Amino acid sequence: MSDLIVKLTDANFEAEVINSDTPVLVDFWAEWCGPCRMIAPILEELAPEYEGKLKIGKLNIDENQDKTAQFGVRGIPTLLLFKGGEVAGTQVG
């Protein structure tokens, strides 16, 4: 994973996403998810292009079930865009 993509956890989610000054695109994913692996290179490509304007983070749903449940993630991949600590956009699948 690129240094420009943040590894998110239940523990660091508030600091990295909710309290972020810049918008954050969060990828809810899992190791076993084929479509999730297809999205990964696209996020890697976008990270340097949007550096300083958009933070990109990945949250493994198997390891971080609290935030997965909190945001009602039922299918993956799910991308949530956060602005000002609130969900501003959602894309599933």
Side-chain angles (χ1 to χ4, degrees):
M1 184 163 48
S2 165
D3 289 342
L4 298 177
I5 296 180
V6 180
K7 181 179 180 183
L8 298 172
T9 65
D10 287 340
N12 73 2
F13 195 90
E14 187 164 336
E16 293 287 352
V17 178
I18 303 302
N19 296 334
S20 177
D21 292 333
T22 59
V24 184
L25 181 65
V26 179
D27 176 20
F28 289 82
W29 72 288
E31 292 279 343
W32 48 264
C33 170
C36 298
R37 290 193 304 268
M38 292 170 52
I39 289 175
I42 297 166
L43 296 177
E44 295 279 348
E45 191 176 308
L46 291 174
E49 189 175 325
Y50 286 93
E51 185 177 9
K53 297 179 261 184
L54 174 73
K55 184 189 296 187
I56 298 175
K58 295 175 69 72
L59 185 125
N60 185 318
I61 65 162
D62 291 329
E63 298 171 358
N64 302 283
Q65 295 178 0
D66 290 347
K67 293 303 175 197
T68 301
Q70 179 181 341
F71 292 103
V73 175
R74 296 184 184 269
I76 55 172
T78 293
L79 299 172
L80 296 182
L81 178 64
F82 288 81
K83 288 184 182 176
E86 300 288 327
V87 177
T90 304
Q91 180 66 47
V92 180

